[in-house]
Amino acid sequence: MGLPALLASALCTFVLPLLLFLAALKLWDLYCVSSRDRSCALPLPPGTMGFPFFGETLQMVLQRRKFLQMKRRRYGFIYKTHLFGRPTVRVMGADNVRRILLGEHRLVSVHWPASVRTILGAGCLSNLHDSSHKQRKKVIMQAFSREALQCYVPVIVEEVSSCLEQWLSCGERGLLVYPEGVKARNLIHARIEENIRAKIRRLQAAEPDGGCKDALQLLIEHSWERGERLDMQALKQSSTELLFGGHETTASAATSLITYLGLYPHVLQKVREEIKSKGLLCKSNQDNKLDMETLEQLKYIGCVIKETLRLHPPVPGGFRVALKTFELNGYQIPKGWNVIYSICDTHDVADIFTNKEEFNPDRFISPHPEDTSRFSFIPFGGGLRSCVGKEFAKILLKIFTVELARHCDWQLLNGPPTMKTSPTVYPVDNLPARFTHFQGDI
């Protein structure tokens, strides 16, 4: 082969693809720059947009916390990127997050990734807007009133105790296994539809409900009161959303509680001391059962839960879309761009927390708790879209902590776990642990 042929071959094999790649990068850069609002004089936030079409989604998925920490160190509390096919601004810090959370329906609107919308459905509470969201939330919130929570307490105690007995009988186990994707959703929908139809039959037959209405019953009765035809698909989507929000997030938080109480025996000791002070450590004492009043008195356990949620919030952030171009800390947020507010990063950078990486429940104890800044500690989000089930979650986690400390000792077989987010926070090794009956007294 002659020299010209070799040069032509090299050109086709190496140079031309390189030139095409560089051209694609340039066009991508121009596209990203052109998407800013030119009627606004403010600059875009700093940051990079990654590779053409793919943006920086792959880096974030593969590196997660390392990627986010690198971005935060390099660009600060507001930066631009390109995630899930959309130009995106990532926001953290109490003041910045406050503006986003209080700007719902005015500056921003909820806009979860397509995968989440597909799994949960467009008609669920998380994806509703304006009056539809307000009306649905008002109905569902009745299921989480203090009176409703009191009805749930005995059921939660029974379920938690049964689960712990299974763990104790198994000895060693991995604590978390998550179903995947649309196939799991379809299976869940089928089971939920069976329960919905059974619920409707009981309501139509006027069977007693025990004085405690769950969210599903409230939604069914709300439709009947308005003279509306029951929408089975909407009911299934709402039930799936509540199942995900009430199960996956609390499972994540409960796993983190097991982790920290296993790693910090002195904290577990203080938990047991508080339980003992309420007469709950003695398993034979049937006169002092758990109720809302007793649970509300468990202040130290409440601090343990807060500290766990500070370090490992189950949901790392929330997704919004800019309804119009607006200013945030000297930068423009263009209309149509996605906005992600970060819960985990906001906790990490909050100035009110001292020795941030230390697990220290005492930081939340009065008279000078470190959670006095409203938007520095946001494990349940905030504003109009704060978690509807947050009081339920707090009660469930308190009951879980009490029953765990009363009945179990345990050992983390792999030591401190590495955490992953997909979509909630969980240990990459599913936290294998060995459980034994708690025999001691304090």
Side-chain angles (χ1 to χ4, degrees), residues 18-198:
L18 178 61
L19 291 175
L20 289 173
F21 177 72
L22 293 175
L25 284 178
K26 184 62 177 178
L27 290 172
W28 177 250
D29 186 58
L30 290 173
Y31 158 75
C32 294
V33 171
S34 66
S35 62
R36 71 182 296 274
D37 188 341
R38 297 189 179 279
S39 66
C40 178
L42 294 172
L44 288 171
T48 56
M49 306 297 270
F51 294 105
F53 309 112
F54 297 103
E56 297 184 315
T57 305
L58 188 60
Q59 295 100 301
M60 190 193 73
V61 170
L62 293 177
Q63 299 177 338
R64 193 60 198 181
R65 197 167 185 86
K66 180 180 178 182
F67 171 81
L68 297 176
Q69 288 174 340
M70 178 273 292
K71 286 284 188 180
R72 189 175 77 205
R73 287 194 299 268
R74 183 173 296 179
Y75 301 116
F77 291 2
I78 306 174
Y79 59 83
K80 68 176 184 286
T81 179
H82 199 281
L83 299 173
F84 309 108
R86 298 284 299 274
T88 299
V89 174
R90 188 172 173 88
V91 173
M92 66 198 74
D95 292 339
N96 297 325
V97 168
R98 176 184 182 277
R99 187 95 188 282
I100 299 301
L101 291 177
L102 298 186
E104 185 74 27
H105 303 324
R106 183 172 51 86
L107 300 178
V108 298
S109 181
V110 68
H111 188 77
W112 291 96
S115 58
V116 176
R117 297 198 302 273
T118 299
I119 296 294
L120 296 183
C124 68
L125 180 67
S126 298
N127 289 321
L128 293 179
H129 299 86
D130 302 318
S131 60
S132 297
H133 175 265
K134 182 178 180 181
Q135 186 179 79
R136 180 79 63 82
K137 185 172 183 178
K138 183 178 179 181
V139 175
I140 292 176
M141 284 297 294
Q142 296 175 56
F144 300 111
S145 65
R146 191 180 188 281
E147 294 74 18
L149 292 176
Q150 178 62 63
C151 288
Y152 304 151
V153 168
V155 180
I156 296 173
V157 170
E158 183 179 350
E159 290 295 322
V160 169
S161 298
S162 175
C163 183
L164 292 178
E165 281 301 319
Q166 292 179 33
W167 292 0
L168 287 165
S169 64
C170 289
E172 296 182 11
R173 63 179 292 129
L175 296 184
L176 279 186
V177 179
Y178 283 109
E180 298 289 342
V182 174
K183 184 178 180 180
R185 181 207 61 185
N186 293 338
L187 291 173
I188 291 169
H189 271 196
R191 293 295 300 274
I192 285 174
E193 183 168 345
E194 293 176 12
N195 290 326
I196 291 173
R197 295 193 184 281

Side-chain angles (χ1 to χ4, degrees), residues 331-404:
Y331 299 112
Q332 68 158 281
I333 311 299
K335 178 181 178 180
W337 279 41
N338 280 356
V339 179
I340 298 177
Y341 75 88
S342 174
I343 294 174
C344 54
D345 285 313
T346 296
H347 290 180
D348 285 349
V349 303
D351 290 334
I352 64 169
F353 298 127
T354 56
N355 301 318
K356 296 182 179 66
E357 296 187 2
E358 177 187 350
F359 181 75
N360 177 23
D362 290 352
R363 73 173 76 246
F364 288 106
I365 295 177
S366 296
H368 303 294
E370 291 187 358
D371 65 339
T372 52
S373 175
R374 181 179 171 190
F375 292 94
S376 292
F377 179 68
I378 49 170
F380 300 103
L384 295 176
R385 291 191 178 272
S386 62
C387 175
V388 294
K390 62 183 179 182
E391 297 305 321
F392 174 82
K394 293 175 186 177
I395 292 299
L396 188 153
L397 292 171
K398 274 192 174 183
I399 293 172
F400 177 77
T401 304
V402 169
E403 294 299 300
L404 182 71

Side-chain angles (χ1 to χ4, degrees), residues 173-176 254-256 258-259 412-417 427-433 435:
R173 63 179 292 129
L175 296 184
L176 279 186
T255 305
S256 295
I258 291 172
T259 300
L412 305 181
L413 299 180
N414 292 345
V428 295
D429 62 358
N430 289 333
L431 200 67
F435 284 83

